[in-house]
Amino acid sequence: MSGTNSAFPIDLKALKPLKLDPSNPKLTDEQLATLKHNIQLMRDAIVLFTATGAARGVSGHTGGAYDTVPEVNLLLSLFNHSDEYVPILFDEAGHRVATQYLVSAIEGHIPAEHLLHYREANSKLPGHPELGLTPGIKFSSGRLGHLWPFVNGVALANRDKTVFLLGSDGSQQEGNDAEAARLAVAQNLKVKLLIDDNDVTIAGHPSEYLKGYDIAKTLSGHGLKVVTVQGEDVAALWSALVEILNYDGPAAIISKRKMAPGIADIEGTTHGHDVVPVKTALKYFEARGFPPNFAGDILNNIKPNANAYLYTGSSKELGANRVVFGEAVNKVLDKLSKEEAAKKVLVIDSDLEGSTGIKAIHQKHPEVFIPSGIMERGNLSAAAGFGFDKDKFGVFSTFAAFLEMTISEITMARLNFCNLLCHFSHSGVDEMADNTCHFGINHFFADNGLPDTQSWLYWPADANQMVKIVERVFFDRGIRFIFSTRSKVPYILKEDGKTHFFGDDYEFVPGKDEVILEGKAGYVVSFGDQLYRSYDAVLRCRQEGLDVGLINKPTLNLVDEQTIRKIGSTGFVLVVESLNQKTGLGSKFGTWLIERQLTPKYGYMGTNKEGCGGLTEQIPFQGLDPQSIILKIRQLSQ
């Protein structure tokens, strides 16, 4: 058998049982040999099944999980020795989820063969561990910086036990960890951190972009005991673990190592942060002496899941809005001299420049760009502070899921009348294999000022509109938010099926809703990545004789009085979005209609349940595909 039908070719039962007594800081030769055997076997397994994520096009993050296998083996050996520990491998780096899935298989909660479905849709193996979804998973890691404070609480609830937390140099950049450190020391909690310090994050090396950042000095300054070792020296790592266990209070081991040690092509590089490419995985197993077809029969027979659906109303050509954002900003900056741009504009990154599109700004306009760490709250405030001057403009960018983490900073920026443009990419749920904790679905949280203040929430429908919006609002004053998806989206076409709707003759007007199609029976209101799906549904309904229209609402949080009265006077209004059904546009639009004594039949569709993993599968899973929209239109039109 080949592909995912194969048996898992690494025998997890070949792992050798081991108990380690922390009263002895030195390993015997037999213990060391057993550890090295188990470490290598588990690392081989991680390379193999995470590479299936590369093969099926869903990514997967190999390096972090691969790195920390020595620490994991030592902790498992302690759990086998005594019940003095909370036996959970808490990990604040969610992308090291491969560790959790591997341990789940080792413990018999899932069959080893199921690992070959890593990050596949509906496999219950998403990009972050989710408690209650995957058998054997003991916690949800969520986003970086969230788990140490949580683990403090676990320690407070289990004062007679030691609690371990696997950390990283990336996750330790988050401000939450500083607060957690202070509480752990103040309460003398039995929390022990094992931190993988590989000097690699998504966008680069902390030693280069965050000079002065030193984990050992930071934690020592907070009052923790800190021991620094070479992470690949298993004997030294064990001795350090014994040392911090014997310390009465919170303590940490800083394990220095290259990212993905021993994996040619990605060792020590930023590429190690993500999933190991298939070719690199095959090269790894060849170097390890495995048979030629050992991994090839599996990896070479896994293909990405293609979406063959042909949408009407939009182009076959796709545009990446998150990338186009940076290109559009460059068009604005190109009109300024380098000196004027540096004086007037600041763009600050949070280790995601390649993912949120602002890498293009870094490359073309380095004079305005600051690469920074995984510190969303502080970076947003820094960009806002730059825009405190009425003639200066700060730009901040990160994933939309992290908008929820920055609400207080957004409020302070608003109270200080700052000129701040925020780009939140990875909005909605489309192509979000990382799954629920990375859904960007609560955008209206950003519009948290009182009714006498104004924020601007913009979500372009395609790459053309992204350019037009950026160019129009870049130098507007106050706080502005622009959203984009992780997925590429097609270009919206006019009724002729050929001309781009947001072409050269299009002018974006903030606050104005846009009529894509006129309709007498009722209207669908949509925006962003759901506009082209709604367009397809509307056109197919019109072919059936139902005269339904379509409205694009690129400014999410302002009422266009003329348009709402137009559509509210018809038979029905349906809002379709990929935001949270509880907090999105649909939850507000019905109220807006009632306030104006407009009483059409009303319905709204949005993200409504935790994710299924995978990529394009997330949209139909949420019931947001064209067929689901058509059914809702038919229901409302009756």
Side-chain angles (χ1 to χ4, degrees):
M1 292 185 291
S2 60
T4 55
N5 294 320
S6 300
F8 196 72
I10 297 173
D11 184 8
L12 299 183
K13 293 181 181 178
L15 290 166
K16 299 178 180 179
L18 181 64
K19 298 180 180 180
L20 292 178
D21 183 349
S23 65
N24 189 345
K26 291 187 177 181
L27 297 169
T28 67
D29 290 343
E30 182 180 1
Q31 288 171 332
L32 182 58
T34 297
L35 280 167
K36 289 183 175 180
H37 166 82
N38 289 348
I39 289 167
Q40 189 61 66
L41 191 150
M42 290 176 68
R43 280 182 164 174
D44 289 345
I46 286 172
V47 170
L48 176 63
F49 77 79
T50 58
T52 67
R56 63 175 53 92
V58 295
S59 187
H61 303 280
T62 302
Y66 178 96
D67 275 11
T68 52
V69 170
E71 288 89 333
V72 166
N73 272 273
L74 292 179
L75 294 185
L76 292 175
S77 299
L78 283 175
F79 298 163
N80 290 336
H81 169 73
S82 170
D83 61 358
E84 296 176 1
Y85 316 103
V86 174
I88 299 177
L89 297 168
F90 287 115
D91 192 336
E92 62 177 344
H95 279 157
R96 296 195 296 226
V97 68
T99 300
Q100 310 303 324
Y101 296 151
L102 178 57
V103 172
S104 179
I106 291 170
E107 293 178 346
H109 299 289
I110 59 175
E113 287 73 20
H114 192 58
L115 296 172
L116 299 178
H117 297 271
Y118 180 63
R119 286 169 67 108
E120 181 182 295
N122 300 303
S123 69
K124 298 186 177 181
L125 300 177
H128 283 241
E130 294 188 11
L131 183 64
L133 178 68
T134 312
I137 293 301
K138 300 179 176 69
F139 66 95
S140 298
S141 68
R143 306 152 190 162
L144 291 183
H146 285 62
L147 214 60
W148 187 359
F150 179 86
V151 163
N152 279 349
V154 174
L156 287 167
N158 297 272
R159 283 191 175 271
D160 59 329
K161 295 182 182 292
T162 297
V163 187
F164 295 102
L165 174 66
L166 294 164
S168 69
D169 54 334
S171 57
Q172 286 290 310
Q173 293 177 18
E174 288 282 13
N176 281 7
D177 278 3
E179 297 180 17
R182 291 193 286 269
L183 179 63
V185 171
Q187 293 298 315
N188 200 42
L189 300 179
K190 296 171 74 172
V191 173
K192 312 296 180 181
L193 280 67
L194 288 79
I195 297 174
D196 177 32
D197 187 6
N198 55 34
D199 195 32
V200 167
T201 53
I202 294 175
H205 304 281
S207 61
E208 297 174 3
Y209 67 72
L210 207 60
K211 294 186 183 299
Y213 172 56
D214 186 297
I215 303 173
K217 289 181 180 178
T218 298
L219 295 180
S220 296
H222 284 304
L224 277 80
K225 177 179 177 60
V226 178
V227 180
T228 301
V229 298
Q230 294 300 314
E232 294 303 288
D233 185 339
V234 179
L237 187 60
W238 169 249
S239 296
L241 183 54
V242 170
E243 185 175 350
I244 67 169
L245 284 172
N246 288 329
Y247 177 75
D248 182 20
I253 296 174
I254 311 297
S255 295
K256 298 283 188 178
R257 59 164 60 90
K258 291 183 177 181
M259 167 69 89
I263 304 181
D265 301 334
I266 67 173
E267 179 181 288
T269 73
T270 56
H271 300 295
H273 170 82
D274 210 321
V275 67
V276 56
V278 169
K279 288 184 178 179
T280 300
L282 295 178
K283 184 177 178 180
Y284 168 86
F285 286 113
E286 180 182 357
R288 290 269 300 117
F290 284 88
N293 295 328
F294 168 78
D297 284 348
I298 296 173
L299 300 177
N300 290 329
N301 287 287
I302 297 174
K303 305 300 179 185
N305 182 31
N307 183 5
Y309 188 86
L310 295 177
Y311 291 90
T312 57
S314 57
S315 68
K316 293 182 180 179
E317 180 188 4
L318 302 176
N321 275 13
R322 60 185 171 117
V323 175
V324 171
F325 172 83
E327 296 170 352
V329 171
N330 279 343
K331 287 186 177 182
V332 174
L333 297 176
D334 288 345
K335 298 175 183 178
L336 308 176
S337 68
K338 297 289 186 182
E339 294 74 19
E340 185 181 5
K343 182 178 180 180
K344 196 171 186 177
V345 176
L346 173 73
V347 180
I348 188 164
D349 176 44
S350 295
D351 190 52
L352 292 172
E353 61 178 82
S355 297
T356 65
I358 60 175
K359 184 176 181 179
I361 305 172
H362 192 182
Q363 292 172 336
K364 193 171 185 181
H365 288 280
E367 71 277 5
V368 307
F369 194 90
I370 293 181
S372 187
I374 307 166
M375 307 177 295
E376 296 86 1
R377 304 165 186 82
N379 289 338
L380 186 148
S381 289
F386 184 87
F388 182 55
D389 185 309
K390 65 182 180 64
D391 295 319
K392 296 183 186 292
F393 300 83
V395 179
F396 169 80
S397 184
T398 190
F399 289 170
F402 306 154
L403 183 153
E404 301 167 19
M405 298 160 52
T406 61
I407 299 303
S408 180
E409 287 73 20
I410 288 170
T411 296
M412 292 307 300
R414 181 183 296 109
L415 292 175
N416 280 294
F417 305 103
C418 297
N419 299 321
L420 175 65
L421 176 63
C422 294
H423 173 220
F424 287 101
S425 72
H426 293 56
S427 295
V429 302
D430 198 8
E431 297 197 0
M432 298 296 286
D434 281 341
N435 222 43
T436 311
C437 73
H438 269 251
F439 284 179
I441 55 175
N442 289 310
H443 293 356
F444 276 83
F445 287 10
D447 186 23
N448 63 347
L450 296 171
D452 62 347
T453 63
Q454 184 58 57
S455 298
W456 304 83
L457 309 184
Y458 302 120
W459 194 332
D462 66 17
N464 287 335
Q465 191 171 43
M466 172 64 83
V467 173
K468 296 288 187 177
I469 289 178
V470 171
E471 291 180 334
R472 169 60 183 81
V473 309
F474 190 87
F475 287 123
D476 282 355
R477 303 191 186 281
I479 307 181
R480 292 136 292 134
F481 300 87
I482 297 180
F483 306 114
S484 66
T485 56
R486 180 184 186 274
S487 59
K488 295 179 179 180
V489 293
Y491 293 86
I492 303 299
L493 302 177
K494 294 183 178 179
E495 286 190 74
D496 61 12
K498 299 178 182 179
T499 310
H500 284 196
F501 193 97
F502 304 110
D504 293 338
D505 60 341
Y506 166 76
E507 179 182 356
F508 174 69
V509 179
K512 180 176 176 57
D513 297 346
E514 298 163 346
V515 179
I516 306 298
L517 287 174
E518 296 279 1
K520 295 180 180 179
Y523 278 91
V524 174
V525 177
S526 193
F527 55 87
D529 63 313
Q530 284 304 114
L531 184 68
Y532 78 89
R533 295 183 171 100
S534 297
Y535 201 178
D536 178 81
V538 165
L539 288 172
R540 294 181 190 277
C541 286
R542 290 166 71 94
Q543 290 173 358
E544 298 174 0
L546 181 58
D547 190 9
V548 58
L550 178 65
I551 301 295
N552 180 38
K553 189 168 182 59
T555 307
L556 307 187
N557 60 328
L558 289 184
V559 177
D560 181 336
E561 295 293 347
Q562 181 179 357
T563 301
I564 198 170
R565 293 186 184 280
K566 173 189 180 75
I567 66 177
S569 300
T570 63
F572 69 88
V573 172
L574 171 63
V575 173
V576 181
E577 60 186 320
S578 56
L579 292 179
N580 186 344
Q581 190 164 297
K582 293 173 66 175
T583 65
L585 176 65
S587 68
K588 301 175 179 294
F589 206 93
T591 301
W592 295 343
L593 288 166
I594 293 172
E595 288 173 342
R596 291 158 180 79
Q597 289 78 52
L598 300 170
T599 56
K601 288 184 179 179
Y602 181 65
Y604 61 98
M605 305 170 68
T607 295
N608 55 85
K609 53 188 174 182
E610 294 186 356
C612 68
L615 296 177
T616 57
E617 296 87 353
Q618 294 280 16
I619 291 296
F621 181 74
Q622 297 292 341
L624 296 173
D625 56 291
Q627 289 71 32
S628 298
I629 299 170
I630 289 171
L631 289 175
K632 190 67 174 180
I633 291 172
R634 288 172 179 166
Q635 176 186 340
L636 290 172
S637 65
Q638 293 176 355

